[in-house]
Every structure is written in structure tokens, then in C-alpha cells.
Amino acid sequence: MVEVMSHLLAELMSPPAIATFFGFLFGAVAWLRNIIIGDDTPLRVIQDSLQLLGNGTIPCITLLLGGNLAQGLKSSSVKPLTLISIIIARLLLLPIIGLFIVRAAANFDLLPVDPLFQYVLVMQYAMPPAMNISTMVQLFEVGNEECSVILLWTYSAAAIALTAWSTFLLWLLS
């Protein structure tokens, strides 16, 4: 029990957890939010600094993904059958399951009638794996080569899969 609690406390004291806590705190408490966010707030420099850092996040993640994809061109221990299975599961089976879930929710009036909203929800199921996975792999230095190969081939197949799913969903939902 002590070991579990110390591990939980260590996770809660990690920088992402602390930042999330402060983000929720400043977002939920109006007077704290009004100190930082706005055109004439006293601590506007914090918001401006965070915006500058945030603007560089997407290019950095894209460069990281490109580096991972370049590593994927090297030989790998991932078997072709494994890659094909991952691509089929991620880009074919998961969107079909998502389509059934979204259509069922729409039939039970749990979603708005808006077809564009339903289209966006189903397209979330059809997206290739998140680039944050490659960030985690780089951070923990485990499975770099395998992750690179999987990302390379899933992103390559996603160009065709996203076009096909988008066309099919526009036909189905319109």
C-alpha cells in the first residue's frame, strides 16, 4: 500500500500533472483567470509566453514525427503480417466500429442531428496513431525502431484510408 501511494504521489508531482492541475484551477476560478487572460490583465506576459511556446509545439512534434518516420525506413524486427494487421485494425476496423457507435448514438437521440458533427466524430476513429505515442517512445527509449516502422506504414496507408473514409462518410451522412 505504501509503495502504491508513493508511486501515485510521484506521478501526481510530475510536471504534466502539476501543469494540468494549475490549468484547471486557473480555468475554473474566474478571478484567477482574469489575472492572466485578457488584453489588459496584470500578468498578460504569462499568457503571451505560453502562446509563444504553444505556437512552436506543432512544428516540433512534426519534426519529431519526421525523424521517427525516417528511422522506419531502416530494417526492422516488425513482421509484415503484424504491420498489415495493425493497419487493418486501425484504419478499417476501428472506423467501422466508430461508425456503428455514432449511428447508434444518433438513433437514440444522444447526438445532435447535424451530419457534420457525426462526420467529425466518425473521422476521429479513422485517424492514424497519435504522434504523442512517438514522443512517449522517445522519452522512455523503448521500441523506437518498431514505433518508427508502424508510424511510417500507418501514415502512408492513412492517405488512402482517410480519403476513402471521407468520401464514404460524406455520401452516407449527406
Side-chain angles (χ1 to χ4, degrees):
M1 183 74 163
V2 172
E3 183 179 329
V4 170
M5 291 304 286
S6 65
H7 182 68
L8 180 64
L9 184 62
E11 291 292 329
L12 289 175
M13 297 307 292
S14 67
I18 293 171
T20 302
F21 171 75
F22 279 113
F24 280 129
L25 181 69
F26 277 80
V29 180
W31 67 271
L32 285 174
R33 184 175 53 245
N34 293 336
I35 292 174
I36 295 178
I37 299 173
D39 289 333
D40 55 351
T41 58
L43 298 177
R44 180 176 164 73
V45 68
I46 295 173
Q47 179 188 3
D48 292 342
S49 300
L50 291 175
Q51 275 183 326
L52 285 173
L53 288 173
N55 290 340
T57 301
I58 300 298
C60 287
I61 288 176
T62 305
L63 288 172
L64 181 66
L65 176 67
N68 273 339
L69 294 180
Q71 287 179 3
L73 293 172
K74 299 175 185 171
S75 64
S76 169
S77 61
V78 179
K79 296 178 182 172
L81 183 61
T82 305
L83 283 172
I84 292 169
S85 300
I86 290 170
I87 290 170
I88 288 173
R90 182 71 186 145
L91 300 176
L92 181 67
L93 297 179
L94 192 61
I96 291 171
I97 293 168
L99 178 62
F100 283 122
I101 290 171
V102 169
R103 295 300 280 186
N107 288 338
F108 289 122
D109 293 329
L110 298 173
L111 294 177
V113 183
D114 186 13
L116 180 61
F117 183 68
Q118 293 176 16
Y119 168 80
V120 170
L121 287 178
V122 177
M123 284 304 289
Q124 290 297 315
Y125 286 94
M127 294 294 158
M131 290 188 281
N132 292 337
I133 294 171
S134 65
T135 306
M136 297 296 277
V137 166
Q138 293 268 328
L139 183 65
F140 292 111
E141 297 178 358
V142 176
N144 283 337
E145 185 177 309
E146 291 82 3
C147 179
S148 300
V149 170
I150 291 169
L151 285 177
L152 173 70
W153 291 109
T154 53
Y155 272 78
S156 299
I160 296 166
L162 287 176
T163 304
W165 275 110
S166 185
T167 304
F168 174 72
L169 291 173
L170 287 174
W171 169 78
L172 182 69
L173 297 173
S174 61

PDB file of all heavy atoms in Angstrom, residues 4-20:
ATOM      1  N   VAL A   4       2.405   1.732  -3.449  1.00  0.00           N
ATOM      2  CA  VAL A   4       1.420   2.246  -4.406  1.00  0.00           C
ATOM      3  C   VAL A   4       1.171   3.728  -4.161  1.00  0.00           C
ATOM      4  O   VAL A   4       1.111   4.531  -5.093  1.00  0.00           O
ATOM      5  CB  VAL A   4       0.110   1.433  -4.322  1.00  0.00           C
ATOM      6  CG1 VAL A   4      -0.995   2.094  -5.127  1.00  0.00           C
ATOM      7  CG2 VAL A   4       0.332   0.009  -4.785  1.00  0.00           C
ATOM      8  N   MET A   5       1.026   4.110  -2.915  1.00  0.00           N
ATOM      9  CA  MET A   5       0.783   5.522  -2.586  1.00  0.00           C
ATOM     10  C   MET A   5       1.988   6.396  -2.949  1.00  0.00           C
ATOM     11  O   MET A   5       1.820   7.517  -3.435  1.00  0.00           O
ATOM     12  CB  MET A   5       0.445   5.670  -1.094  1.00  0.00           C
ATOM     13  CG  MET A   5      -0.908   5.066  -0.731  1.00  0.00           C
ATOM     14  SD  MET A   5      -2.260   5.738  -1.718  1.00  0.00           S
ATOM     15  CE  MET A   5      -2.440   7.328  -1.000  1.00  0.00           C
ATOM     16  N   SER A   6       3.200   5.895  -2.719  1.00  0.00           N
ATOM     17  CA  SER A   6       4.378   6.689  -3.079  1.00  0.00           C
ATOM     18  C   SER A   6       4.501   6.819  -4.589  1.00  0.00           C
ATOM     19  O   SER A   6       4.882   7.874  -5.093  1.00  0.00           O
ATOM     20  CB  SER A   6       5.643   6.073  -2.491  1.00  0.00           C
ATOM     21  OG  SER A   6       5.885   4.806  -3.068  1.00  0.00           O
ATOM     22  N   HIS A   7       4.158   5.748  -5.325  1.00  0.00           N
ATOM     23  CA  HIS A   7       4.176   5.818  -6.795  1.00  0.00           C
ATOM     24  C   HIS A   7       3.108   6.809  -7.287  1.00  0.00           C
ATOM     25  O   HIS A   7       3.372   7.607  -8.192  1.00  0.00           O
ATOM     26  CB  HIS A   7       3.951   4.430  -7.389  1.00  0.00           C
ATOM     27  CG  HIS A   7       4.006   4.404  -8.880  1.00  0.00           C
ATOM     28  ND1 HIS A   7       5.171   4.631  -9.578  1.00  0.00           N
ATOM     29  CD2 HIS A   7       3.038   4.212  -9.812  1.00  0.00           C
ATOM     30  CE1 HIS A   7       4.929   4.567 -10.880  1.00  0.00           C
ATOM     31  NE2 HIS A   7       3.636   4.312 -11.039  1.00  0.00           N
ATOM     32  N   LEU A   8       1.916   6.758  -6.683  1.00  0.00           N
ATOM     33  CA  LEU A   8       0.842   7.688  -7.055  1.00  0.00           C
ATOM     34  C   LEU A   8       1.244   9.125  -6.758  1.00  0.00           C
ATOM     35  O   LEU A   8       1.023  10.027  -7.576  1.00  0.00           O
ATOM     36  CB  LEU A   8      -0.449   7.327  -6.322  1.00  0.00           C
ATOM     37  CG  LEU A   8      -1.657   8.199  -6.612  1.00  0.00           C
ATOM     38  CD1 LEU A   8      -2.069   8.079  -8.076  1.00  0.00           C
ATOM     39  CD2 LEU A   8      -2.805   7.832  -5.699  1.00  0.00           C
ATOM     40  N   LEU A   9       1.856   9.361  -5.620  1.00  0.00           N
ATOM     41  CA  LEU A   9       2.312  10.705  -5.270  1.00  0.00           C
ATOM     42  C   LEU A   9       3.394  11.186  -6.228  1.00  0.00           C
ATOM     43  O   LEU A   9       3.390  12.351  -6.643  1.00  0.00           O
ATOM     44  CB  LEU A   9       2.834  10.726  -3.833  1.00  0.00           C
ATOM     45  CG  LEU A   9       3.247  12.092  -3.294  1.00  0.00           C
ATOM     46  CD1 LEU A   9       2.043  13.032  -3.275  1.00  0.00           C
ATOM     47  CD2 LEU A   9       3.847  11.966  -1.926  1.00  0.00           C
ATOM     48  N   ALA A  10       4.300  10.280  -6.622  1.00  0.00           N
ATOM     49  CA  ALA A  10       5.340  10.653  -7.584  1.00  0.00           C
ATOM     50  C   ALA A  10       4.719  11.022  -8.927  1.00  0.00           C
ATOM     51  O   ALA A  10       5.161  11.976  -9.586  1.00  0.00           O
ATOM     52  CB  ALA A  10       6.344   9.515  -7.753  1.00  0.00           C
ATOM     53  N   GLU A  11       3.695  10.297  -9.359  1.00  0.00           N
ATOM     54  CA  GLU A  11       3.001  10.621 -10.613  1.00  0.00           C
ATOM     55  C   GLU A  11       2.272  11.952 -10.506  1.00  0.00           C
ATOM     56  O   GLU A  11       2.253  12.738 -11.461  1.00  0.00           O
ATOM     57  CB  GLU A  11       2.015   9.512 -10.991  1.00  0.00           C
ATOM     58  CG  GLU A  11       2.659   8.215 -11.400  1.00  0.00           C
ATOM     59  CD  GLU A  11       3.398   8.314 -12.719  1.00  0.00           C
ATOM     60  OE1 GLU A  11       2.988   9.114 -13.581  1.00  0.00           O
ATOM     61  OE2 GLU A  11       4.398   7.597 -12.879  1.00  0.00           O
ATOM     62  N   LEU A  12       1.655  12.214  -9.366  1.00  0.00           N
ATOM     63  CA  LEU A  12       0.937  13.476  -9.187  1.00  0.00           C
ATOM     64  C   LEU A  12       1.868  14.675  -9.100  1.00  0.00           C
ATOM     65  O   LEU A  12       1.452  15.796  -9.379  1.00  0.00           O
ATOM     66  CB  LEU A  12       0.058  13.410  -7.933  1.00  0.00           C
ATOM     67  CG  LEU A  12      -1.166  12.510  -8.029  1.00  0.00           C
ATOM     68  CD1 LEU A  12      -1.877  12.444  -6.675  1.00  0.00           C
ATOM     69  CD2 LEU A  12      -2.108  13.005  -9.109  1.00  0.00           C
ATOM     70  N   MET A  13       3.119  14.448  -8.723  1.00  0.00           N
ATOM     71  CA  MET A  13       4.082  15.537  -8.620  1.00  0.00           C
ATOM     72  C   MET A  13       4.888  15.730  -9.908  1.00  0.00           C
ATOM     73  O   MET A  13       5.793  16.553  -9.946  1.00  0.00           O
ATOM     74  CB  MET A  13       5.039  15.298  -7.440  1.00  0.00           C
ATOM     75  CG  MET A  13       4.340  15.278  -6.084  1.00  0.00           C
ATOM     76  SD  MET A  13       3.332  16.751  -5.785  1.00  0.00           S
ATOM     77  CE  MET A  13       4.581  17.980  -5.636  1.00  0.00           C
ATOM     78  N   SER A  14       4.539  14.994 -10.964  1.00  0.00           N
ATOM     79  CA  SER A  14       5.237  15.165 -12.240  1.00  0.00           C
ATOM     80  C   SER A  14       4.814  16.493 -12.875  1.00  0.00           C
ATOM     81  O   SER A  14       3.701  16.979 -12.636  1.00  0.00           O
ATOM     82  CB  SER A  14       4.928  14.001 -13.182  1.00  0.00           C
ATOM     83  OG  SER A  14       3.568  14.037 -13.561  1.00  0.00           O
ATOM     84  N   PRO A  15       5.690  17.101 -13.651  1.00  0.00           N
ATOM     85  CA  PRO A  15       5.359  18.405 -14.258  1.00  0.00           C
ATOM     86  C   PRO A  15       4.056  18.419 -15.071  1.00  0.00           C
ATOM     87  O   PRO A  15       3.279  19.372 -14.942  1.00  0.00           O
ATOM     88  CB  PRO A  15       6.576  18.708 -15.129  1.00  0.00           C
ATOM     89  CG  PRO A  15       7.697  17.993 -14.460  1.00  0.00           C
ATOM     90  CD  PRO A  15       7.091  16.737 -13.891  1.00  0.00           C
ATOM     91  N   PRO A  16       3.730  17.394 -15.892  1.00  0.00           N
ATOM     92  CA  PRO A  16       2.455  17.454 -16.609  1.00  0.00           C
ATOM     93  C   PRO A  16       1.245  17.445 -15.681  1.00  0.00           C
ATOM     94  O   PRO A  16       0.254  18.142 -15.931  1.00  0.00           O
ATOM     95  CB  PRO A  16       2.470  16.204 -17.492  1.00  0.00           C
ATOM     96  CG  PRO A  16       3.891  15.846 -17.646  1.00  0.00           C
ATOM     97  CD  PRO A  16       4.543  16.272 -16.367  1.00  0.00           C
ATOM     98  N   ALA A  17       1.312  16.679 -14.587  1.00  0.00           N
ATOM     99  CA  ALA A  17       0.188  16.633 -13.646  1.00  0.00           C
ATOM    100  C   ALA A  17       0.026  17.962 -12.933  1.00  0.00           C
ATOM    101  O   ALA A  17      -1.100  18.449 -12.755  1.00  0.00           O
ATOM    102  CB  ALA A  17       0.390  15.496 -12.644  1.00  0.00           C
ATOM    103  N   ILE A  18       1.126  18.559 -12.533  1.00  0.00           N
ATOM    104  CA  ILE A  18       1.054  19.862 -11.855  1.00  0.00           C
ATOM    105  C   ILE A  18       0.519  20.927 -12.815  1.00  0.00           C
ATOM    106  O   ILE A  18      -0.327  21.743 -12.443  1.00  0.00           O
ATOM    107  CB  ILE A  18       2.447  20.248 -11.302  1.00  0.00           C
ATOM    108  CG1 ILE A  18       2.842  19.288 -10.175  1.00  0.00           C
ATOM    109  CG2 ILE A  18       2.444  21.688 -10.803  1.00  0.00           C
ATOM    110  CD1 ILE A  18       4.273  19.438  -9.713  1.00  0.00           C
ATOM    111  N   ALA A  19       0.997  20.905 -14.061  1.00  0.00           N
ATOM    112  CA  ALA A  19       0.520  21.877 -15.051  1.00  0.00           C
ATOM    113  C   ALA A  19      -0.974  21.691 -15.318  1.00  0.00           C
ATOM    114  O   ALA A  19      -1.710  22.674 -15.461  1.00  0.00           O
ATOM    115  CB  ALA A  19       1.316  21.737 -16.346  1.00  0.00           C
ATOM    116  N   THR A  20      -1.425  20.446 -15.375  1.00  0.00           N
ATOM    117  CA  THR A  20      -2.846  20.179 -15.585  1.00  0.00           C
ATOM    118  C   THR A  20      -3.661  20.710 -14.418  1.00  0.00           C
ATOM    119  O   THR A  20      -4.719  21.335 -14.609  1.00  0.00           O
ATOM    120  CB  THR A  20      -3.084  18.669 -15.762  1.00  0.00           C
ATOM    121  OG1 THR A  20      -2.313  18.214 -16.871  1.00  0.00           O
ATOM    122  CG2 THR A  20      -4.544  18.361 -15.992  1.00  0.00           C
TER     123      THR A  20
END
